Amino acid sequence: MKDGTEVQLKSVTLQTYVSAENGGGMNVAVDRDIPSSWETFRLWRVSETEFQFRTSKGQFLTCDGNGGSVSATAESPSRTETFYVEQNNKGRIHLKLMSGIYLQATSIANQLTADYPGTPGWDDNAATFEMTIVANNLHGDYQLANGYGHDKAKEVLKKHRNSFITVEDFNFLNRNGINTVRIPVGWWIAFDHNPPAPFISGSLEALDSAFSWAQSYNIKCIIDLHAAPGSQNGNEHSASRDGSTGWSTSPDSIAQTLEVIEFLASRFAKHPALLGIELLNEPSAANVPLDILISYYKQGYQIVRKYSSTAYVIVCQRIGNADPLEIYQANIGSSNIVLDLHYYNLFDTFFVNMSSIDNIQFIYKSREAQVQALNGANGPLVFIGEWVNEWNVLNGSQRDYQDFGRAQLEVYNAASFGWAYWTLKNDRKHWDFEWNVQNNYLELVHSSNVKTSNVLALLGLVCSCIFLRIL
């Protein structure tokens, strides 16, 4: 029952589902035999027993009080959009207003109303619903902090930050030829001593430590703004509360993001370990219009340049259906601009039935052609900012993985700004750079003209390292 959990509610007496008509913005009925998007609600967790229910279009379920009917018309949640959820161990729930009145599904007009008399039991009655969890896929910073609550989350994150990445990891990176770390941070780092709820302080201290350790081992740092206010892609690693993307539709969020860039640039521009600042990670092509993104990138570039004439300004391609040339043609800035591309043979049905040979050939034919074309274009430097030695191939041998990793290293080494591996440490071994190197699944080649570098994550659940190769 974390933030973003998707649920469906079925009346045990009517045997129909609670539905927000038109997906939100209208009345609520209890009249659907088969659930789909109108019958699916995303939870906003207020406490262990109090929740708000958001529709697929973004409105919240709301009820004025005793005797009232529930509608899906509230644009933002408050007390009248908050419900107590009582559960038993058999998937049944009751919904209760803050005033103590229980909701029920009425057979008259199939409405959801706040007028059940007394306290319902768990037998078949109008106030009892079966709750199905449709999806529970968000496990990011927001879910951790709001789920645990401030004090417990602070304890968990302090233990994590003190143990997950240490100075010994920078020793490992240095021994393996890694020369740079790309460090993902969340926007709340700019307010670290008292960040907005539910976020927890401590990430700025961790970033300061990373810069000190990097300097000790002659390693450079890229600060990557991985999570913007409102979320730029709806994924958990952008700290989305419920899977929605609200960054580009909020001028206040964009303005606040620029303030974060100013904070980072002013604090770290003169640090000898700084290599560059990435203005935004993985904006969504489906939800972030190009003109809004380009305007933000241009303003972010100017902010960084106010504090440094040499720091690289890194701009990330939109994820989804987007052509990287859209960034090349934007004229974001005049010097030290880098375009970040993320290459995964995953997350797309295109790769599902590929053999190991097919995957390797795709790297050489498709990826290499794009890298070469962009290298030769009149635009930013090219950075393969994320890739991984993993695919959809089942039961791949060690040799298969070695060949796949070798192909990626050969092609991505040619990028004019280099590459970054996601990630240093991970609970999935093939995503774990350290495991790949130590177990000889990824064979780094060191020479006088080939240098590797790493990127380290210090945010909540984004607990990993990214490796970057700069030629």
Side-chain angles (χ1 to χ4, degrees):
M1 300 285 282
K2 303 185 301 295
D3 288 280
T5 301
E6 297 180 20
V7 300
Q8 295 166 346
L9 307 175
K10 184 179 182 180
S11 167
V12 299
T13 53
L14 301 182
Q15 287 296 295
T16 51
Y17 288 88
V18 176
S19 176
E21 297 294 334
N22 201 36
M26 299 177 65
N27 296 328
V28 169
V30 192
D31 62 353
R32 299 303 172 106
D33 295 323
I34 299 174
S36 62
S37 61
W38 291 7
E39 294 73 47
T40 302
F41 304 93
R42 290 168 288 169
L43 297 180
W44 279 28
R45 181 187 176 102
V46 179
S47 71
E48 190 173 352
T49 58
E50 300 167 280
F51 295 87
Q52 295 152 348
F53 294 79
R54 198 178 193 193
T55 66
S56 59
K57 284 191 174 180
Q59 294 86 2
F60 293 85
L61 298 190
T62 183
C63 184
D64 289 335
N66 188 12
S69 61
V70 177
S71 66
T73 55
E75 295 297 330
S76 60
S78 62
R79 180 179 175 84
T80 54
E81 290 73 49
T82 303
F83 302 88
Y84 287 107
V85 177
E86 298 177 350
Q87 303 181 66
N88 72 357
N89 58 5
K90 296 182 179 179
R92 290 192 167 191
I93 69 164
H94 301 142
L95 298 174
K96 186 170 60 173
L97 300 184
M98 301 295 282
S99 63
I101 301 298
Y102 286 89
L103 304 185
Q104 66 171 331
T106 63
S107 56
I108 302 173
N110 294 84
Q111 290 184 309
L112 188 62
T113 57
D115 54 4
Y116 185 84
T119 302
W122 294 108
D123 56 348
D124 290 354
N125 63 73
T128 299
F129 300 84
E130 294 175 351
M131 183 177 71
T132 301
I133 294 179
V134 179
N136 188 8
N137 299 324
L138 296 179
H139 310 283
D141 292 82
Y142 200 104
Q143 286 72 30
L144 183 148
N146 204 35
Y148 275 124
H150 181 274
D151 292 344
K152 180 63 176 178
K154 187 173 184 178
E155 176 186 335
V156 169
L157 285 175
K158 182 177 181 180
K159 180 178 180 181
H160 166 72
R161 289 167 176 152
N162 288 341
S163 60
F164 188 72
I165 300 295
T166 69
V167 65
E168 289 305 313
D169 293 298
F170 283 80
N171 185 12
F172 168 83
L173 300 174
N174 177 261
R175 295 197 314 270
N176 284 278
I178 303 300
N179 70 9
T180 305
V181 294
R182 174 180 177 252
I183 309 177
V185 300
W187 62 273
W188 55 94
I189 195 171
F191 313 92
D192 191 69
H193 294 299
N194 186 27
F199 298 111
I200 306 300
S201 62
S203 57
L204 183 58
E205 180 182 357
L207 182 59
D208 286 339
S209 295
F211 264 78
S212 295
W213 298 335
Q215 185 178 4
S216 297
Y217 284 96
N218 198 28
I219 290 173
K220 296 294 185 179
C221 297
I222 292 171
I223 306 173
D224 158 39
L225 185 60
H226 219 72
S231 175
Q232 72 276 14
N233 55 37
N235 293 320
E236 62 187 9
H237 53 73
S238 66
S240 178
R241 182 170 190 173
D242 64 0
S244 60
T245 304
W247 177 78
S248 63
T249 58
S250 170
D252 289 343
S253 291
I254 295 173
Q256 188 174 50
T257 309
L258 291 168
E259 291 173 6
V260 174
I261 296 300
E262 179 127 25
F263 168 81
L264 294 171
S266 63
R267 184 181 179 90
F268 292 99
K270 303 306 180 184
H271 197 290
L274 180 73
L275 181 65
I277 294 176
E278 185 157 3
L279 300 179
L280 193 64
N281 178 71
E282 294 189 344
S284 166
N287 298 291
V288 178
L290 181 61
D291 59 338
I292 290 176
L293 181 64
I294 294 301
S295 174
Y296 165 75
Y297 279 163
K298 288 182 177 180
Q299 292 176 79
Y301 173 86
Q302 292 299 329
I303 289 172
V304 175
R305 284 290 164 264
K306 183 166 68 172
Y307 297 95
S308 172
S309 61
T310 57
Y312 288 94
V313 178
I314 303 170
V315 294
C316 190
Q317 178 194 12
R318 295 189 297 170
I319 58 172
N321 187 20
D323 186 339
L325 285 175
E326 67 185 20
I327 305 295
Y328 267 65
Q329 299 163 353
N331 191 26
I332 291 167
S334 59
S335 64
N336 285 8
I337 294 285
V338 178
L339 173 63
D340 180 3
L341 308 177
H342 295 175
Y343 282 164
Y344 291 98
N345 283 29
L346 295 161
F347 312 127
D348 192 313
T349 55
F350 178 80
F351 298 106
V352 169
N353 295 315
M354 279 189 175
S355 67
S356 58
I357 294 176
D358 292 336
N359 275 276
I360 292 168
Q361 287 303 309
F362 181 83
I363 297 298
Y364 282 123
K365 293 180 179 179
S366 180
R367 305 286 198 214
E368 186 171 34
Q370 186 174 65
V371 169
Q372 290 177 348
L374 293 174
N375 276 344
N378 183 24
L381 297 171
V382 181
F383 176 36
I384 312 306
E386 291 184 19
W387 65 279
V388 66
N389 198 29
E390 185 60 293
W391 48 17
N392 287 314
V393 175
L394 300 177
N395 302 317
S397 67
Q398 182 177 20
R399 178 61 181 273
D400 291 333
Y401 277 101
Q402 289 172 338
D403 291 343
F404 183 51
R406 185 179 303 111
Q408 293 189 89
L409 285 169
E410 289 178 4
V411 171
Y412 305 159
N413 275 342
S416 53
F417 195 74
W419 55 256
Y421 189 94
W422 187 275
T423 64
L424 176 62
K425 297 180 180 179
N426 199 286
D427 59 347
R428 297 164 293 179
K429 58 186 181 181
H430 290 292
W431 290 73
D432 186 310
F433 179 86
E434 187 174 72
W435 181 91
N436 273 272
V437 172
Q438 292 176 341
N439 290 277
N440 200 31
Y441 276 72
L442 192 62
E443 300 170 309
L444 299 178
V445 178
H446 302 298
S447 68
S448 59
N449 63 343
V450 177
K451 303 175 183 179
T452 57
S453 43
N454 141 316
V455 182
L456 136 88
L458 301 169
L459 305 176
L461 291 185
V462 190
C463 315
S464 35
C465 273
I466 302 176
F467 290 79
L468 144 72
R469 180 179 294 262
I470 297 179
L471 303 181

